[in-house]
Amino acid sequence: MNTDAFTPDNDAAFSPGELLERLAEQVDALNRPGAIELALESVSSGRIGVADLYTQVLGPLLGRIGSRWQHGTERVWQEHFASHVVRTIIEALYPIVVREASLAPRNGQTVLLVCPPREEHELGARMLSDRFELAGWNAVFLGADTPLAEIVAAARAVRANLVALSVSTVYERVELRSFIDTLRDALPKTRIAIGGPAFAHDPGAWPAEELLDAAHLGLPGAPPGA
Amino acid sequence: MNTDAFTPDNDAAFSPGELLERLAEQVDALNRPGAIELALESVSSGRIGVADLYTQVLGPLLGRIGSRWQHGTERVWQEHFASHVVRTIIEALYPIVVREASLAPRNGQTVLLVCPPREEHELGARMLSDRFELAGWNAVFLGADTPLAEIVAAARAVRANLVALSVSTVYERVELRSFIDTLRDALPKTRIAIGGPAFAHDPGAWPAEELLDAAHLGLPGAPPGA
Amino acid sequence: MNTDAFTPDNDAAFSPGELLERLAEQVDALNRPGAIELALESVSSGRIGVADLYTQVLGPLLGRIGSRWQHGTERVWQEHFASHVVRTIIEALYPIVVREASLAPRNGQTVLLVCPPREEHELGARMLSDRFELAGWNAVFLGADTPLAEIVAAARAVRANLVALSVSTVYERVELRSFIDTLRDALPKTRIAIGGPAFAHDPGAWPAEELLDAAHLGLPGAPPGA
Amino acid sequence: MNTDAFTPDNDAAFSPGELLERLAEQVDALNRPGAIELALESVSSGRIGVADLYTQVLGPLLGRIGSRWQHGTERVWQEHFASHVVRTIIEALYPIVVREASLAPRNGQTVLLVCPPREEHELGARMLSDRFELAGWNAVFLGADTPLAEIVAAARAVRANLVALSVSTVYERVELRSFIDTLRDALPKTRIAIGGPAFAHDPGAWPAEELLDAAHLGLPGAPPGA
């Protein structure tokens, strides 16, 4: 553990892009406490908000980790390490999310956040959960690899107004189509919205009304590169 | 989100067992912010240390969640929900772990914390990671479902002195035996220690020198029920 | 490859129990061609019918393989080897199944044979498929690890009268309950029946009308030990 | 079940390409017995040998099934159905493989055929196993999803001269590299060769001496399109 990491240069004002690069450097150097301290300090010092950290820094950082792994420039164990650093950052921000969310008017709506079966990449859904809470929703996060029948049972139990599915790369669209259709049949009165990397870059011909539209839902967080 | 959860009764002095029961109640009521606030406040107010919270409260709580799921009194989605609440508590404590760890003398040793392939229950290893950091180790956490060859590559890259494997219920012992033997052949100079629920209650005839002995390693945290 | 295996003792009349023991010996000796020849020859010589081979010999043999693996007296690779020997026997009998099935009157009914998600043990369902064909059904076998939405889509596409789910040990009953309930909602006019090792020995309080009753369906094959 | 399938037009002399098209038609029509009968009859009538059926017909057919699924023109359940038809064909040919193999001189060598962890596509390895037997090898087939430590244990137990790994698309090359390296360390005297779709079309910069070279090994079966 590099204790230098705990005395970041407080004078520096990072752009989100610079913060992303500096975080990536710490992760590449396997400096877990350093990376986490850098991110948390950026939020607690007011340099960046939680939602913007998610959309402009951590989301793109996760995309880069996944891409480097896919292109063979990063090993599986490095991807595990890096993902866990990002996860700790996200979870360690939760007390701040709760505090900020308690100041926002609640809208009385409940969103269920899930990844479908075999989808193990849940950090996108986890960040989305916090953004929903910040926007006044009650967010119920179930995470990775949730069976269809369990999504149905949970949506009924918590009286979800919206089921937000986060899908990375594991699903072919024809399979996702039949998944969504079955979910819709089982939950005819619940809105269903799909987000995640599989759709962010290329929604293709997917029906627009099924795509999760963060801006339209009023979720905080500027899009990457904004 | 129940904002009452954010004003816990500060006068109450909980025993670990009482804290466990109160946390379980919040989780059963699907009160995620309430459960997390209760746990974090218990640590920040000094009522319980991080390591004891892990060994005496969160470890047993995870055991109870798994057991209720196995006995059919809890649904899969409820188990997902509950595990994620516990995860947020653990990760949100990390800034405290870093702060306390920075006060402890570093021992110059590195431990690699992993779960073998197919083992998805990683929170035990995650808590162990923090306890190693608190005891002065450099802890490298790779988490769930790490392929054997990746454990070998990571152990070499970080020059691990110890590989700590956490195993829940997915492994039959004959398979674990051959897994450990192959790991040992590949890393002849690295100590390998096995922990996790699969061994905590019944080490059976497993060689004692391969079992992770937290007390002998000097890790903080009293055993459950102590 | 031991070519002695191809000249079995044709004089011997094995009981199903003896055939099971002799097959198990060949499998233990890693004699794949010997085991397969012994089984096929037993059927082609008329000593045992396909359906009885399934219910009285291969089913119990698979149970024994699984049990030895669970009790740690067999390694994973031995279980892989043994299962594949049994699989070859079953599949190599298919031309005989087709021939015999073509002599039986067709009943105009279609059964879909599937294992739910994560259930990898499909040989029970595979044998059941042949027994349905022998009884005059049109059997559509999809096998292991079939997603819920795909079961629904397939059942509609082939106009299944019956969906037969085979479940080994991977499912807790509370999860299976919600799986079946969702399937039922999606396919209100289709019968659903559950079979497999998870229920053969202990149906517990599971509703009898949901259990696959081979005798009542008129499937050939005497129960084990009969 | 369409019994017309059992009276194929014996006069027709199919090229492998034509046989592939006719098989694909039967599979698309969900005519399982028809597809199987067509393939088996083509071999038993001497129109095509087992090894050529594998390399020129069934291998390309599996490639087409996988490709249609990936491109979203085929549903998951259709891919399950189609793969199982191909599997039955392969396994039902085993008695012929054994008979032909018993005529070939045995070379005293043992090959272990496996797919690494998470690789579920095992039919390529299964066909390879038969081609090794036809070439005089003792072939030990363990199939899909075999843990690294189990491959090591099995290779030692059967004194394998060669471990043939079949890899489809699940592995990134950097992960496969570390997998092979660890296997090599554990089995320094055993040859290791990699085959399967992941390498057939694009070996990239992978070391040629690690690629499975069927021609060089003397395995029967003309390459696709030959």
Side-chain angles (χ1 to χ4, degrees):
Chain A
M1 197 160 46
N2 177 358
T3 52
D4 289 352
F6 302 103
T7 53
D9 177 359
N10 283 292
D11 298 333
F14 305 139
S15 71
E18 286 163 338
L19 182 54
L20 169 54
E21 293 308 322
R22 293 187 59 157
L23 266 180
E25 278 168 31
Q26 300 277 14
V27 170
D28 287 349
L30 301 181
N31 187 346
R32 173 178 168 82
I36 293 164
E37 194 71 12
L38 173 60
L40 298 187
E41 204 277 332
S42 297
V43 173
S44 62
S45 69
R47 273 191 239 134
I48 192 167
V50 169
D52 285 342
L53 183 77
Y54 286 174
T55 54
Q56 300 200 298
V57 179
L58 300 187
L61 179 57
L62 286 169
R64 185 189 294 198
I65 292 165
S67 171
R68 285 168 66 171
W69 169 74
Q70 279 190 329
H71 289 87
T73 52
E74 188 153 281
R75 301 187 73 135
V76 170
W77 73 264
Q78 292 170 311
E79 192 231 355
H80 278 222
F81 176 85
S83 301
H84 279 295
V85 170
V86 176
R87 181 190 287 277
T88 300
I89 294 170
I90 295 167
E91 298 289 8
L93 289 167
Y94 189 66
I96 296 177
V97 169
V98 170
R99 203 153 47 231
E100 295 190 3
S102 70
L103 304 175
R106 315 314 300 162
N107 68 10
Q109 305 261 308
T110 293
V111 57
L112 186 72
L113 295 118
V114 290
C115 303
R118 308 196 318 276
E119 177 58 72
E120 298 294 342
H121 296 92
E122 68 185 9
L123 293 180
R126 183 60 191 74
M127 291 190 287
L128 211 45
S129 175
D130 282 356
R131 292 166 70 203
F132 272 104
E133 286 204 31
L134 290 168
W137 293 66
N138 176 35
V140 179
F141 175 72
L142 300 184
D145 190 22
T146 304
L148 199 156
E150 297 298 318
I151 298 173
V152 171
R156 289 177 182 158
V158 304
R159 300 172 187 272
N161 304 91
L162 173 64
V163 172
L165 276 170
S166 183
V167 187
S168 176
T169 56
V170 76
Y171 271 70
E172 303 304 327
R173 292 197 179 185
V174 67
E175 182 179 6
L176 189 59
R177 184 70 266 153
S178 81
F179 186 88
I180 303 289
D181 290 346
T182 307
L183 202 54
R184 227 178 241 307
D185 284 353
L187 298 169
K189 295 181 181 166
T190 309
R191 284 171 59 202
I192 294 168
I194 314 167
F199 288 90
H201 304 303
D202 173 24
W206 202 271
E209 68 272 17
E210 287 184 342
L211 297 177
L212 192 144
D213 184 337
H216 190 255
L217 286 162
L219 306 189
Chain B
M1 195 160 49
N2 178 358
T3 52
D4 290 349
F6 302 103
T7 53
D9 178 359
N10 283 292
D11 299 331
F14 304 139
S15 71
E18 285 163 338
L19 181 54
L20 168 53
E21 293 308 323
R22 292 187 59 156
L23 267 178
E25 278 168 30
Q26 299 277 13
V27 170
D28 287 348
L30 301 181
N31 188 346
R32 174 178 166 84
I36 294 165
E37 193 72 11
L38 173 62
L40 299 187
E41 206 276 334
S42 298
V43 173
S44 62
S45 69
R47 270 191 242 134
I48 192 168
V50 170
D52 285 342
L53 183 75
Y54 286 175
T55 54
Q56 301 200 296
V57 179
L58 300 186
L61 179 58
L62 286 168
R64 184 189 297 198
I65 293 165
S67 170
R68 285 167 66 173
W69 170 74
Q70 279 190 329
H71 289 85
T73 53
E74 189 153 280
R75 300 187 73 135
V76 171
W77 73 264
Q78 292 170 312
E79 192 230 355
H80 278 223
F81 176 85
S83 300
H84 280 296
V85 171
V86 176
R87 181 190 287 278
T88 300
I89 294 170
I90 295 168
E91 299 288 7
L93 289 168
Y94 190 66
I96 296 178
V97 170
V98 170
R99 201 151 50 232
E100 294 190 4
S102 70
L103 304 175
R106 314 313 299 160
N107 68 10
Q109 306 260 310
T110 293
V111 58
L112 186 72
L113 295 118
V114 291
C115 303
R118 307 195 320 275
E119 178 58 72
E120 299 295 342
H121 297 90
E122 69 186 8
L123 293 180
R126 182 61 191 76
M127 291 190 285
L128 212 43
S129 175
D130 282 356
R131 291 166 71 202
F132 272 105
E133 286 203 32
L134 290 168
W137 293 66
N138 177 33
V140 179
F141 176 71
L142 300 184
D145 191 23
T146 305
L148 198 155
E150 297 298 317
I151 298 174
V152 171
R156 288 176 182 157
V158 305
R159 300 172 187 273
N161 303 91
L162 173 64
V163 172
L165 277 169
S166 183
V167 187
S168 177
T169 57
V170 75
Y171 272 70
E172 302 303 327
R173 293 198 176 183
V174 68
E175 181 178 7
L176 189 59
R177 184 70 265 153
S178 80
F179 186 88
I180 303 288
D181 289 345
T182 307
L183 202 55
R184 227 177 240 308
D185 284 352
L187 298 169
K189 294 180 183 167
T190 309
R191 281 171 61 203
I192 294 168
I194 313 166
F199 288 91
H201 304 302
D202 173 23
W206 202 271
E209 68 272 18
E210 287 184 342
L211 297 177
L212 193 143
D213 184 339
H216 190 255
L217 286 162
L219 305 189
Chain C
M1 198 160 47
N2 178 358
T3 52
D4 290 351
F6 302 104
T7 53
D9 178 357
N10 283 292
D11 299 333
F14 304 139
S15 72
E18 285 163 337
L19 182 54
L20 168 54
E21 293 309 323
R22 293 187 59 157
L23 267 179
E25 277 168 31
Q26 300 277 14
V27 171
D28 287 349
L30 301 181
N31 188 347
R32 175 178 167 82
I36 293 165
E37 194 70 12
L38 173 62
L40 299 187
E41 206 275 334
S42 298
V43 173
S44 62
S45 69
R47 272 192 241 134
I48 192 167
V50 170
D52 285 341
L53 183 76
Y54 287 174
T55 53
Q56 300 201 297
V57 179
L58 299 186
L61 179 57
L62 287 169
R64 184 190 296 198
I65 293 166
S67 170
R68 285 168 64 172
W69 169 74
Q70 279 190 329
H71 289 86
T73 52
E74 188 152 281
R75 300 188 72 137
V76 171
W77 74 263
Q78 292 170 312
E79 192 231 354
H80 278 222
F81 176 85
S83 300
H84 280 295
V85 171
V86 176
R87 182 190 286 279
T88 300
I89 294 170
I90 295 168
E91 299 289 8
L93 289 167
Y94 190 65
I96 295 177
V97 169
V98 170
R99 201 152 48 231
E100 295 191 3
S102 70
L103 305 175
R106 315 314 300 160
N107 67 10
Q109 306 260 309
T110 293
V111 57
L112 185 71
L113 295 118
V114 292
C115 304
R118 306 195 320 277
E119 178 58 72
E120 299 294 343
H121 296 91
E122 68 186 8
L123 294 180
R126 182 60 191 76
M127 292 190 286
L128 211 44
S129 175
D130 283 356
R131 292 166 70 203
F132 272 104
E133 286 203 30
L134 291 168
W137 293 65
N138 177 34
V140 179
F141 176 72
L142 300 184
D145 191 23
T146 304
L148 198 156
E150 297 299 318
I151 297 173
V152 171
R156 288 176 182 158
V158 305
R159 299 172 189 270
N161 304 91
L162 173 64
V163 173
L165 277 169
S166 182
V167 187
S168 176
T169 57
V170 74
Y171 272 70
E172 302 303 328
R173 293 198 176 183
V174 66
E175 181 178 7
L176 189 59
R177 184 71 263 154
S178 80
F179 186 88
I180 303 289
D181 289 346
T182 307
L183 202 54
R184 226 177 241 307
D185 284 352
L187 298 168
K189 294 181 183 165
T190 310
R191 281 171 61 202
I192 295 169
I194 314 166
F199 287 90
H201 303 303
D202 174 24
W206 201 271
E209 68 272 18
E210 288 185 343
L211 297 177
L212 193 143
D213 184 338
H216 190 254
L217 286 161
L219 306 188
Chain D
M1 194 161 48
N2 177 359
T3 52
D4 288 351
F6 302 104
T7 53
D9 178 359
N10 283 294
D11 298 331
F14 304 139
S15 71
E18 285 163 336
L19 182 54
L20 169 54
E21 294 308 324
R22 293 187 58 157
L23 266 178
E25 278 167 32
Q26 300 276 16
V27 171
D28 287 348
L30 301 181
N31 188 346
R32 175 179 167 82
I36 293 164
E37 193 71 12
L38 173 62
L40 298 187
E41 204 277 334
S42 297
V43 173
S44 63
S45 69
R47 273 191 241 134
I48 192 167
V50 169
D52 285 342
L53 182 76
Y54 286 174
T55 55
Q56 301 200 299
V57 179
L58 299 187
L61 179 57
L62 286 169
R64 184 189 294 199
I65 293 166
S67 170
R68 286 168 65 174
W69 169 74
Q70 278 190 330
H71 289 86
T73 52
E74 188 153 280
R75 300 187 73 137
V76 171
W77 74 264
Q78 292 171 312
E79 192 230 355
H80 278 222
F81 176 85
S83 301
H84 280 295
V85 171
V86 176
R87 181 191 287 278
T88 300
I89 295 170
I90 295 168
E91 299 289 7
L93 288 168
Y94 190 65
I96 296 177
V97 169
V98 169
R99 202 152 49 230
E100 294 191 4
S102 71
L103 303 174
R106 315 312 301 160
N107 68 10
Q109 305 260 309
T110 293
V111 57
L112 186 72
L113 295 118
V114 290
C115 304
R118 308 195 319 276
E119 178 59 72
E120 298 294 342
H121 297 91
E122 68 185 9
L123 293 180
R126 183 60 193 74
M127 291 190 285
L128 211 43
S129 174
D130 282 356
R131 292 166 69 203
F132 272 104
E133 286 203 32
L134 290 168
W137 294 65
N138 176 34
V140 179
F141 175 72
L142 300 185
D145 191 23
T146 306
L148 199 156
E150 297 298 317
I151 298 173
V152 171
R156 287 177 182 157
V158 304
R159 300 173 187 272
N161 303 90
L162 173 63
V163 172
L165 276 170
S166 182
V167 187
S168 177
T169 56
V170 76
Y171 271 70
E172 303 303 326
R173 292 201 177 184
V174 67
E175 182 179 6
L176 190 59
R177 184 70 265 155
S178 80
F179 186 88
I180 303 289
D181 289 345
T182 307
L183 203 54
R184 227 177 239 309
D185 285 352
L187 298 168
K189 295 181 181 164
T190 309
R191 282 171 62 202
I192 294 168
I194 313 167
F199 287 90
H201 304 302
D202 173 23
W206 201 271
E209 68 272 18
E210 287 184 341
L211 297 177
L212 193 143
D213 184 338
H216 191 255
L217 286 162
L219 305 188

